[in-house]
Amino acid sequence: MLKKQLKIDFNCDMGEGMAGEAIIMPFISSANISCGLHAGDGNVIRNTIALALSHNVSIGAHPSFDDRAHFGRTEMKLGRDELYRLIIRQLESFQTIAASLGADVHHVKPHGALYNLSARDETTARCIAEAVKDFNPGCILMGLSGSASVRAAKIAGLTAWNEVFADRTYTGRGTLTPRHHPGALIDSLEALTTQVKQMIHKGTVTATDGTVIPVEADTICIHGDGAQAPVFAKAIFEIVQSCKI
């Protein structure tokens, strides 16, 4: 099946039981689908994959820490072998469901606290990259633009996509503003479209302290659990679709 083609990939975290996912799906080109540890279950994963297939959206696994109580947003200290097994187990389980529907796993994107840890910690980033390579060296690994995640993926010989965020703000260090900090989430359509256009056309993002940070945007993310996610998704789609790059 042909995949939806946009000039820049547009992804969303899904399979998390959010009501707006069916509304968002037509606008995105890649879906990062929960592997069941932070949200969802086998039936949710199956239904979300089927929905993605119906819209020609690329299917990705969204592994996390085993942290359903906190939606995968609590950092956990795991040994390298334990983390490797955690990632492999989720990817293999996800692949089994995808294969039953005739779907390929196109990419992998860690979720929540695991994503943020891999963005700054080289050891975690290397462990995840090695797990993805062992699972399927043809999978794309998404990571925060310019982060340890992207570097580790490239060293491992994987295709790495630099990811930028439409609905999150950035710190002056180029990391995402922690969710518990004021202003971490963008809730204004004007602010969101301004940030997306800046990231695409200028290759920069303005941090909360005014620092202008260079970014590379291979893929743009929106979170499916945001209250305005369906409205934001349509706006981002229109911006990406009109790109001349």
Side-chain angles (χ1 to χ4, degrees), residues 45-62:
I45 294 170
R46 187 172 292 103
N47 292 340
T48 308
I49 290 174
L51 181 64
L53 288 172
S54 72
H55 289 283
N56 297 338
V57 169
S58 297
I59 292 158
H62 199 37

Side-chain angles (χ1 to χ4, degrees), residues 3 10 26 43 55 57 69 74 87 111 120 190 205 223 234:
K3 301 301 180 184
F10 176 23
N43 286 331
H55 289 283
V57 169
T74 299
I87 300 300
H111 166 78
R120 69 175 189 273
E190 180 181 2
V205 65
H223 292 89
K234 183 175 185 295

Side-chain angles (χ1 to χ4, degrees), residues 109-120:
K109 174 188 167 182
H111 166 78
L114 182 60
Y115 180 96
N116 292 329
L117 179 60
S118 68
R120 69 175 189 273

Side-chain angles (χ1 to χ4, degrees), residues 36-38 63-72 74 76 78 86 89-90 114:
L37 291 190
H38 73 277
S64 69
F65 284 124
D66 190 354
D67 176 36
R68 185 173 289 268
H70 302 100
F71 202 68
T74 299
M76 297 182 173
L78 303 178
L86 179 72
R89 185 173 80 243
Q90 291 179 78
L114 182 60

Side-chain angles (χ1 to χ4, degrees), residues 186-197 228 232 235 239:
I186 293 176
D187 55 11
S188 157
L189 181 59
E190 180 181 2
L192 176 123
T193 55
T194 297
Q195 177 158 298
V196 170
K197 289 177 181 178
Q228 299 188 69
F232 286 175
I239 294 169

Side-chain angles (χ1 to χ4, degrees), residues 154-230:
K154 291 179 178 178
I155 290 170
L158 296 169
T159 298
W161 277 3
N162 287 277
E163 182 177 39
V164 295
F165 288 78
D167 54 3
R168 295 288 302 277
T169 61
Y170 286 73
T171 71
R173 299 187 305 277
T175 59
L176 297 179
T177 305
R179 282 180 173 267
H180 62 277
H181 288 193
L185 306 180
I186 293 176
D187 55 11
S188 157
L189 181 59
E190 180 181 2
L192 176 123
T193 55
T194 297
Q195 177 158 298
V196 170
K197 289 177 181 178
Q198 179 182 348
M199 292 188 295
I200 292 175
H201 297 300
K202 297 183 178 180
T204 63
V205 65
T206 302
T208 52
D209 65 359
T211 303
V212 177
I213 301 161
V215 293
E216 187 173 347
D218 297 316
T219 184
I220 299 171
C221 176
I222 186 174
H223 292 89
D225 60 336
Q228 299 188 69

